[in-house]
Amino acid sequence: MTKSETECVYREENASGAILKDATDQELYKKVFWDKTKKGYRLLSEAEWEYVARYQKDNSNNVGREYGAGIWLTKIDTVSGASKNWKDVDKEETAKYCWWTSNIAEQMPKAVDGRSENHLGVHDMSGNMMEWVYDWYKPSEQNAETVENPEGPSLDSLDQNTLQKVMKGGSYNSIGIIQCLPAFRNGRRNVLNTGDHMDSGMRIAFYK
């Protein structure tokens, strides 16, 4: 809507394929080609999403972990933006950043600015709405190898009848805070069925 067609990110099957506009077409859903050379609007990858959720400028709050030279991310036991372990008896700080079942009386999405922003000024990376990312879902496998900006599994490595996309961040009806931690992940087949997955949404990014 705001960029020229030359900057469209998603096309059918390859870089010269038709621009994809109908997200409800279940066959095209399996044929999406992500043209990484374009600078339009798109879904985040799982790795990008987790980076945004866990980023912190430095380790002045002593809850960071260094990934590469000078790249600090929060540890996996804190919600996005917080500096205390989610298991802390006093969950007051966790509640400043995250909507989840135990601290929400009405089971429905909340206003985006209802909780504090994280270190990048982004709201609701933990809780409120579970977010659909670009990667195909496959259960986590332990891997000792360090991979920079990992990508999800290839489409042809998955069962075509049970395809799922990765969901991140937890939601307003998550039964526990652990589901809202940035490293937590699960999969859902789609978010298109009317009445289903009312706790699901997506976050659109612009790649500069």
Side-chain angles (χ1 to χ4, degrees), residues 42-191:
R42 60 173 175 80
L43 294 172
L44 284 78
S45 68
E46 181 177 9
E48 290 170 333
W49 189 98
E50 193 166 329
Y51 181 87
V52 174
R54 295 176 59 192
Y55 173 86
Q56 59 179 43
K57 184 178 181 180
D58 51 40
N59 198 32
S60 57
N61 58 8
N62 201 34
V63 296
R65 177 179 173 185
E66 192 172 20
Y67 293 79
I71 299 176
W72 288 93
L73 304 182
T74 56
K75 295 178 181 178
I76 62 174
D77 55 5
T78 59
V79 298
S80 180
S83 61
K84 289 185 179 180
N85 187 313
W86 70 273
K87 294 181 180 179
D88 194 289
V89 175
D90 180 6
K91 294 185 174 62
E92 182 178 351
E93 183 181 1
T94 294
K96 289 180 181 178
Y97 295 93
C98 178
W99 288 113
W100 79 96
T101 299
S102 65
N103 72 348
I104 182 171
E106 191 174 2
Q107 291 296 298
M108 62 183 297
K110 293 297 183 178
V112 172
D113 59 356
R115 287 291 185 260
S116 297
E117 60 190 28
N118 70 7
H119 297 283
L120 284 176
V122 181
H123 293 270
D124 293 342
M125 297 295 286
S126 288
N128 203 5
M129 296 294 286
M130 190 176 297
E131 298 182 19
W132 210 38
V133 297
Y134 181 79
D135 296 25
W136 295 108
Y137 175 76
K138 186 177 184 180
S140 300
E141 298 176 346
Q142 187 170 357
N143 189 345
E145 180 185 7
T146 299
V147 180
E148 183 176 341
N149 194 21
E151 297 183 358
S154 62
L155 181 61
D156 57 10
S157 70
L158 303 172
D159 182 343
Q160 301 299 296
N161 296 314
T162 58
L163 290 175
Q164 295 179 312
K165 288 287 190 177
V166 174
M167 303 296 294
K168 299 286 285 185
S171 68
Y172 62 85
N173 63 3
S174 291
I175 60 175
I177 305 173
I178 191 171
Q179 295 178 326
C180 300
L181 299 179
F184 187 85
R185 62 199 299 272
N186 62 8
R188 283 187 173 171
R189 183 164 176 79
N190 62 54
V191 291

